[in-house]
Amino acid sequence: MKTLLRIDSSPRKKSSLSRQLADVLQEKLETEVGYTSTHRDVYYDELIKLGNEDSISAYFTPEEQQSTAQKEAVKASNILSAEFASADAFIFAVPMYNFSITAGLKAYIDLIARSGISFTYSENGPEGLLKGKKAYVIITTGGTKLGTDVDYVSGYMTTFLNFVGITDIEFINSDQIMTDAKKILNQVKTEINELILK
Ligand SMILES: Cc1cc2nc3c(=O)[nH]c(=O)nc-3n(C[C@H](O)[C@H](O)[C@H](O)COP(=O)(O)O)c2cc1C
């Protein structure tokens, strides 16, 4: 059984365009590849919170030496990083907020990037541990053109995914949506439906 982890990162629910596009892709991946999906919704999931003294210091403390407070604080990161490491493929639905990813997605990434789980330090520097996985990254923007100097989403997502060992990345760009939302959404939905899945 191949597992697909979908990560939504728009605070909007009903009117979110990245969610609409992720729905189309998720359905295609489930029907055509046979993935079983799980889901994290970074703004609505009680596990996803900013780090604090206890959670971050727990990252650097062996489990048997962690205080009760550290153990409690690092629980969410333990669950989320193990879940992320066990998935075969990912859909990231990524709205651009102020030229970058949303704060909720950054908080989630800070919880799943864990030494010994998603990356390790080798003689040659950091090395990703999550090899052989596939990531689909759907980016929506209002007015900013992706691929320009002010796009801090595409490069960041590539760097982060590569850092944890994921190099097979398919970007689905839905940018400058405010110029003609209906037309662009339909174009991108067609693009998703025409994707050749491996
Ligand atoms: C707080 C905020 C910041 C935004 N910043 C940008 C931005 O820097 N560039 C841009 O093109 N669009 C920006 N937008 C527009 C969103 O990227 C656009 O509405 C996108 O569709 C949001 O994704 P969603 O529909 O899934 O919620 C911003 C929207 C909000 C609410």
Side-chain angles (χ1 to χ4, degrees), residues 72-87:
E72 192 50 37
V74 82
K75 224 184 244 173
S77 172
N78 291 347
I79 294 167
L80 295 167
S81 56
E83 175 185 69
F84 191 80
S86 71

Side-chain angles (χ1 to χ4, degrees), residues 9-13 15-20 93-100 140-145 174 176-178:
S9 65
S10 172
R12 303 201 295 176
K13 281 196 168 171
S15 49
S16 162
L17 307 177
S18 59
R19 285 176 196 266
Q20 263 192 56
V94 186
M96 176 183 278
Y97 269 21
N98 296 306
F99 311 102
S100 184
T140 50
T141 84
T144 303
K145 193 159 174 48
S174 188
Q176 296 187 299
I177 215 143
M178 291 318 288

